[in-house]
């Protein structure tokens, strides 16, 4: 096919779409189902309505082929486990008795069974449920969801393409099941899994699917020759099937690298590639392997992870080059749109000019359709749209919001001395122990306490004007008093004020910093029914006034025990925002770090002996390719140290990380030079303890012994068992006891019961160590 005919055939498509609905209807229905207030039938009906609406929005935007199967009640990797029958034995009875109840037991656990482990989906803030596999795993196809949702779309008149997690990525994301040898490699199950995928593909073909998309984002990471050979074998075997649809193998988040030639040679009909950010290298790589003659290329030229409008002329230039490298070229966002909010048109409170800089999922679908039209009909057909796009891009580039000379001058003046504590850790530790006087195995929490309906109502009432600032302050102070009193009674050693006034650990600070914009409806799924509203980092960052000292001072006045000052670190402020794309991330991180440095200094001046600066996104933001990691870790750890290094030796700096694979960043964790780091450990069975011991980590560590993302209340015996595993790696004088994460999503009854277990475990082990 010629470039001209490839252009004439171009259509717009997408890999996936936000699941929650305009008003988070899915979240409300699921949580109602968990509480018994919504029936299973009503939940299924809500889900069907949302899918119908999503497909309609895509079609109305001009998307000619809609995805199916991307919708999920909790997580698409969990859905893949169900589709291939990879149900852990402890969940089998529940799944067999009631598939929906069993599904949520796998996702969240219950009082009888623990859930699957949860971790970050590549370098995003989305969490997936980790498959548990072993030598005895028996796969069995369950095509009901994939086929059912595809048939729904067909019945509504859509051209649809089912989407499944690819078999290689599924196995590379999996972990050995409990009790299986740690060195077991799930990829060795590929030959057992491929026949099940063959059955899934056959079922979709029988239902009328012309194309099926198999997502293989794991192949954009550095892969061994054996793993690349596995990918080649997988698609050689799937491609050789006779009863199958056409196969579109999709990758995103980075360049394919060595895997590109593997997939280009595979007997599949199409590839979907990312051409944004670091994945722009796919263009040169594709040319180097000879392109995809006679095959379909879905070109992800629109950033599916950020919210800025596309540079349409730049994308058209990329697409024009790609026309000579493939049989057909279709246009799409770079990945599933579940990573961005639904509709920028809902943000009516933003300045209209600024709002024109933003493109959420609905607008990105429209951009894909516009670019596909430009390919089909020529740029003359979209002249007006291109002119408007140029004007909007220029408006953003020239806006005073994006440039503050004073901020830039301060960042440029930072020296190496600004990023190092004045005293080495051993001397600091001695001074901090003398000041704090804590017992062995000190107990604390991560920061937040339950955000009750009453607290959320008070915040909404303030926003709506139903109460004034004084009444709101009184309500928050009453909550702080209750939280402090409870912690003293429970026996916790280092307290927190509970953060009742905070809406989100990033948004709260973003709303008080210059350079950030806030949305009202910009919800994005983090995990399950947990949605966040990432702020928009639009310009240079500074701190006009103290952000937390007032609340800290009030809390500390209520108790003689130390209260932690609580801040969110610079990397997490970037990672959990929609960050500006017009300057290096390192420059933005330094600006945020300087603003936080001012806040840390003010907290210390207000009497804080302990300041926690959370960096849960440090591992999450690690580049997927090893070659890019040293540069990232250099600026990321420097930013943390810049924020925290201006304090005295006897001021203890804490940080916190959760739900990630830490082994790859142990050196960076050390480079943070925090006095205490608290880490998720319960759901991952204290795996991180061994990693810290092996790395020779020299400072203090708090291991999470309560998985706060599950409704299970751990027993004291469970917490003791976990802590004993921690003590095998970290000596008692350097070990803290805490939950895995903040408690804002938990209720008070389970919080009280779980913290009782946590404190009881610490006391039990103190007694043992003293005896």
């Amino acid at each position: 096919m010629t470039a001209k005919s490839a252009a004439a055939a171009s259509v717009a498509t997408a890999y996936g779409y936000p699941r929650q609905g305009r008003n988070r209807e899915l979240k409300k229905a699921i949580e109602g189902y968990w509480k018994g207030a919504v029936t299973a039938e009503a939940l299924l009906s809500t889900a069907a309505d949302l899918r119908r609406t999503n497909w309609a929005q895509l079609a109305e935007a001009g998307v000619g082929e809609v995805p199916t199967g991307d919708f999920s009640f909790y997580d698409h990797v969990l859905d893949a486990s169900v589709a291939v029958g990879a149900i852990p034995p402890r969940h089998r009875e529940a799944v067999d008795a009631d598939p929906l109840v069993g599904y949520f037991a796998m996702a969240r656990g219950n009082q009888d069974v623990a859930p699957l482990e949860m971790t970050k989906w590549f370098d995003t803030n989305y969490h997936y449920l980790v498959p548990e596999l072993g030598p005895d795993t028996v796969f069995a196809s369950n095509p009901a969801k994939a086929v059912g949702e595809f048939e729904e779309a067909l019945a509504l008149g859509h051209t649809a393409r089912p989407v499944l997690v690819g078999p290689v990525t599924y196995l590379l994301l999996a972990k050995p099941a409990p009790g299986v040898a740690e060195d077991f490699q799930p990829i060795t199950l590929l030959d057992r899994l491929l026949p099940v995928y063959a059955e899934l593909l056959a079922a979709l073909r029988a239902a009328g699917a012309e194309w099926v998309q198999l997502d293989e984002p794991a192949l954009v990471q550095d892969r061994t020759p054996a793993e690349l050979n596995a990918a080649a074998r997988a698609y050689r075997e799937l491609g050789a099937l006779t009863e199958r649809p056409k196969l579109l193998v999709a990758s995103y988040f980075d360049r394919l690298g060595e895997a590109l030639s593997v997939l280009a040679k595979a007997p599949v009909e199409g590839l979907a590639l990312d051409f944004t950010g670091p994945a722009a290298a796919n263009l040169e790589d594709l040319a180097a392997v000879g392109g995809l003659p006679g095959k379909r290329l879905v070109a992800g030229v629109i950033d599916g992870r950020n919210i800025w409008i596309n540079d349409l002329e730049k994308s058209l230039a990329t697409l024009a080059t790609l026309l000579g490298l493939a049989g057909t070229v279709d246009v799409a966002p770079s990945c599933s749109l579940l990573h961005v909010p639904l509709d920028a048109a809902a943000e009516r409170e933003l300045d209209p000019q600024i709002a024109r800089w933003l493109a959420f999922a609905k607008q990105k679908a429209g951009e894909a359709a516009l670019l596909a039209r430009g390919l089909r009909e020529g740029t003359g057909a979209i002249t007006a749209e291109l002119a408007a796009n140029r004007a909007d891009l220029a408006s953003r580039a020239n806006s005073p919001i994006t440039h503050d000379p004073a901020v830039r001058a301060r960042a440029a003046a930072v020296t190496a001395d600004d990023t190092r504590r004045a005293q080495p850790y051993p001397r600091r530790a001695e001074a901090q122990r003398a000041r704090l006087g804590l017992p062995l195995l000190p107990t604390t929490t991560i920061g937040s306490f339950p955000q009750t309906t009453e607290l959320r109502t008070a915040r909404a009432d303030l926003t709506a004007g139903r109460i004034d600032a004084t009444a709101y302050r009184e309500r928050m102070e009453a909550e702080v008093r209750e939280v402090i009193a409870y912690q003293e009674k429970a026996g916790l050693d280092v307290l927190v004020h509970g953060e009742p006034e905070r809406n989100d650990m990033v948004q709260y600070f973003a709303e008080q910093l210059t350079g950030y914009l806030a949305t009202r409806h910009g919800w994005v799924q983090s995990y399950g029914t947990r949605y966040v509203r990432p702020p928009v980092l639009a310009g240079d960052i500074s701190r006009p006034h103290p952000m937390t000292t007032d609340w800290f001072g009030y809390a500390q006045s209520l108790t003689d025990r130390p209260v932690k000052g609580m801040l969110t670190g610079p990397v997490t402020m970037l990672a959990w925002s929609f960050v500006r794309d017009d300057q290096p991330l390192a420059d933005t991180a330094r600006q945020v770090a300087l603003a936080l440095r001012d806040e840390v200094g003010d907290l210390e001046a207000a009497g804080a002996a302990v300041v926690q600066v959370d960096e849960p996104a440090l591992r999450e933001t690690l580049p997927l390719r090893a070659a890019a990691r040293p540069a990232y870790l250099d600026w990321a750890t420097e930013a943390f140290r810049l924020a925290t290094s201006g304090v005295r030796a006897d001021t203890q700096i804490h940080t916190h990380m959760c739900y990630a694979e830490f082994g790859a960043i142990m050196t960076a964790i050390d480079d943070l030079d925090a006095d205490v780091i608290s880490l998720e450990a319960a759901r991952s069975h204290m795996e991180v303890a061994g990693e810290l011991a092996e790395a020779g980590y020299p400072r203090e560590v708090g291991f999470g012994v309560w998985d706060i993302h599950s409704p299970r209340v751990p027993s004291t015996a469970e917490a003791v068992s976990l802590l004993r595993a921690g003590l095998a790696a970290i000596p008692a004088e350097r070990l803290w006891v805490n939950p895995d994460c903040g408690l804002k999503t938990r209720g008070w009854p389970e919080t009280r019961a779980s913290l009782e277990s946590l404190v009881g475990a610490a006391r039990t082990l103190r007694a043992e160590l003293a005896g």
Side-chain angles (χ1 to χ4, degrees):
M1 182 178 286
T2 66
K4 183 176 181 180
S5 58
S10 294
V11 298
T13 187
Y15 302 169
Y17 205 65
R19 304 157 177 165
Q20 68 267 23
R22 185 177 181 87
N23 297 304
R24 292 181 292 159
E25 291 89 347
L26 185 62
K27 169 187 172 70
K28 296 167 186 175
I30 292 173
E31 292 180 351
Y33 170 75
W34 291 342
K35 295 174 183 176
V38 172
T39 65
E41 292 73 18
L43 174 58
L44 294 173
S45 176
T46 296
D49 289 343
L50 290 171
R51 289 192 293 271
R52 185 181 305 112
T53 299
N54 287 351
W55 295 325
Q57 285 185 2
L58 287 167
E60 289 164 7
V63 170
E65 181 187 52
V66 302
T68 66
D70 60 301
F71 182 89
S72 179
F73 282 123
Y74 207 94
D75 165 51
H76 55 273
V77 181
L78 177 60
D79 295 344
S81 291
V82 173
V84 300
I87 311 298
R90 67 182 180 280
H91 297 119
R92 173 56 67 184
E93 182 177 352
V95 170
D96 289 344
D98 185 322
L100 191 58
V101 170
Y103 176 89
F104 286 124
M106 293 170 68
R108 305 171 67 232
N110 55 42
Q111 199 55 42
D112 298 319
V113 294
L116 291 165
E117 182 179 339
M118 183 167 65
T119 196
K120 297 294 177 69
W121 175 248
F122 298 92
D123 58 347
T124 75
N125 189 35
Y126 177 84
H127 302 63
Y128 75 93
L129 278 300
V130 182
E132 294 178 1
L133 306 176
D136 298 330
T137 298
V138 176
F139 297 111
S141 68
N142 179 2
K145 178 182 184 296
V147 169
E149 293 178 10
F150 172 71
E151 290 179 337
E152 284 179 27
L154 283 190
L156 293 168
H158 299 291
T159 299
R161 183 186 70 253
V163 179
L164 300 171
V165 176
V168 179
T169 288
Y170 179 77
L171 293 175
L172 290 174
L173 293 178
K175 280 189 171 182
V180 172
E182 292 183 4
D183 61 353
F184 173 75
Q185 297 183 23
I187 195 67
T188 59
L189 300 176
L190 181 63
D191 291 336
R192 197 181 303 176
L193 181 61
L194 289 176
V196 173
Y197 267 80
E199 292 178 19
L200 295 172
L201 293 172
L204 288 166
R205 180 63 186 143
E210 180 182 359
W211 286 89
V212 168
Q213 177 178 319
L214 296 174
D215 283 358
E216 294 287 8
L219 295 180
V220 306
Q221 297 173 296
D222 298 305
R223 289 299 166 197
T224 66
E227 291 166 341
L228 293 173
N229 287 337
R233 187 169 80 256
Y235 285 98
R236 185 169 59 247
E237 293 191 17
L238 292 178
L241 297 172
T242 55
E243 295 298 321
R244 68 167 179 85
K246 296 176 183 177
L247 297 181
L248 178 72
V249 182
S251 67
Y252 35 84
F253 299 150
D254 211 319
R255 59 188 288 259
L256 263 176
E258 303 87 344
L260 179 56
S261 61
V262 172
L263 294 179
K265 296 173 186 175
V268 300
E269 288 74 21
L271 295 185
L273 300 178
D274 186 348
F275 293 97
T276 66
N282 273 329
L283 178 59
E284 183 177 337
D285 293 346
L286 187 61
V289 300
L292 301 173
K295 293 188 177 185
R296 179 186 188 186
L297 172 65
V298 175
V301 294
I302 298 162
D303 189 346
R305 295 178 55 175
N306 213 334
I307 45 68
W308 304 110
I309 57 172
N310 184 256
D311 185 333
L312 296 177
E313 291 181 326
K314 181 179 178 181
S315 292
L316 282 169
T318 298
L319 291 165
T321 302
L322 291 171
L323 288 175
L325 296 173
T328 60
V329 176
D330 294 329
V331 186
S334 61
C335 61
S336 172
L337 293 172
L338 72 87
H339 302 291
V340 294
L342 184 59
D343 185 4
E347 302 302 329
R348 297 186 177 88
E349 296 179 15
L350 286 177
D351 180 299
Q353 180 56 63
I354 293 174
R356 290 185 62 84
W357 304 346
L358 306 181
F360 293 176
K362 190 174 180 179
Q363 288 71 41
K364 289 180 185 294
E367 288 177 335
L370 186 67
L371 290 168
R373 182 184 170 200
L375 281 187
R376 289 193 307 271
E377 303 175 19
T379 57
I382 57 172
T383 300
E385 291 89 343
L386 292 177
N389 179 248
R390 280 195 300 273
D392 291 337
L393 292 170
S395 168
R396 181 184 168 210
N398 298 323
S399 171
I401 292 174
T402 61
H403 298 280
D404 184 330
V407 171
R408 297 191 172 213
R410 186 185 181 195
V414 169
T415 68
D417 288 344
D418 295 325
T419 66
R420 294 289 179 188
R421 296 284 289 270
Q423 300 289 343
Y425 170 71
R427 199 170 299 174
R428 301 197 313 258
E430 182 179 352
Q432 292 159 17
R433 286 168 185 157
R435 181 180 183 185
L436 293 169
L438 299 172
L440 205 62
L441 304 178
T443 56
T444 189
T445 64
I446 301 305
S448 59
F449 265 71
Q451 287 266 330
T452 62
T453 300
E454 292 76 15
L455 291 177
R456 291 192 295 271
T457 299
R459 192 175 296 119
D461 286 346
L462 177 67
T463 301
R466 291 187 289 269
I467 60 175
D468 60 17
T470 299
Y472 177 75
R473 174 80 188 196
E474 290 172 353
R475 177 67 188 88
M476 296 302 107
E477 286 185 350
E479 182 71 13
V480 173
R481 289 194 300 272
E482 181 179 343
V483 167
I484 291 292
Y486 166 72
Q487 290 173 91
E488 286 189 324
K489 182 179 179 181
L492 290 162
D493 300 303
V494 175
L495 313 188
V496 298
H497 82 287
E499 306 175 12
E501 81 289 358
R502 301 188 188 184
N503 43 21
D504 174 80
M505 65 181 290
V506 171
Q507 183 183 348
Y508 176 77
F509 294 102
E511 290 173 348
Q512 301 184 73
L513 295 169
T514 63
Y516 269 101
L517 305 173
T519 68
R520 278 187 69 85
H521 306 285
W523 296 103
V524 177
Q525 186 181 20
S526 177
Y527 67 88
T529 61
R530 168 72 170 148
Y531 287 82
V532 295
R533 277 185 300 165
V536 178
L537 209 167
D540 290 336
I541 300 297
S542 62
R543 187 198 70 144
H545 52 74
M547 301 179 286
T548 64
T549 53
D550 185 26
W551 289 108
F552 163 79
Y554 179 70
Q556 188 63 80
S557 74
L558 301 172
T559 181
D560 292 330
R561 299 183 193 183
V563 175
K564 290 191 284 191
M566 299 296 306
L567 305 174
T568 301
V571 174
T572 302
M573 288 295 297
L574 267 63
W576 294 357
S577 302
F578 291 116
V579 71
R580 62 190 302 181
D581 59 357
D582 58 347
Q583 72 178 15
L585 282 175
D587 294 354
T588 307
R590 178 170 285 193
Q591 293 178 3
V592 176
L594 286 167
L596 293 173
R597 185 182 180 93
D598 294 340
E599 189 71 14
V600 171
D602 284 344
L603 282 167
E604 183 180 58
V610 181
V611 178
Q612 182 169 309
V613 181
D614 289 344
E615 281 292 24
L618 181 69
R619 171 61 179 86
E620 165 192 316
T621 316
L622 187 72
L624 298 178
R625 291 276 178 178
R629 292 176 179 178
Y632 159 72
L633 291 172
D634 280 349
W635 66 253
T637 55
E638 179 192 84
F640 180 89
R641 294 194 307 272
L642 179 59
T644 57
S645 292
V647 296
R648 303 191 309 263
D650 65 350
T651 297
Q652 191 173 72
I653 297 294
H654 287 225
T655 191
H656 169 68
M657 299 180 189
C658 60
Y659 297 103
E661 303 295 327
F662 298 111
I665 61 164
M666 280 299 163
T667 299
I669 288 175
D670 191 18
D671 287 344
L672 295 176
D673 198 25
D675 299 303
V676 182
I677 182 168
S678 55
L679 298 166
E680 176 272 324
R683 189 175 280 210
S684 58
H685 314 293
M686 202 59 73
E687 180 180 288
V688 70
E691 295 173 339
L692 288 167
E694 184 176 348
Y697 187 73
R699 287 177 287 280
E700 297 181 34
V701 180
F703 288 131
V705 296
W706 166 24
D707 173 14
I708 68 89
H709 291 90
S710 169
R712 291 187 71 251
V713 173
S715 66
T716 298
E718 287 179 56
V720 166
S721 178
L722 282 169
L723 286 174
R724 285 197 175 114
L727 284 167
I730 301 294
E733 60 270 17
R734 291 198 284 116
L735 190 65
W736 288 62
V737 183
N738 47 258
D740 273 348
C741 202
L743 309 180
K744 69 187 303 181
T745 62
R746 304 270 51 97
W748 267 107
E750 63 192 290
T751 293
R752 293 189 182 96
S754 298
L755 288 179
E756 181 179 333
S757 295
L758 183 152
V759 173
R763 287 172 173 167
T764 296
L765 287 172
R766 283 176 198 157
E768 289 183 8
L769 292 166

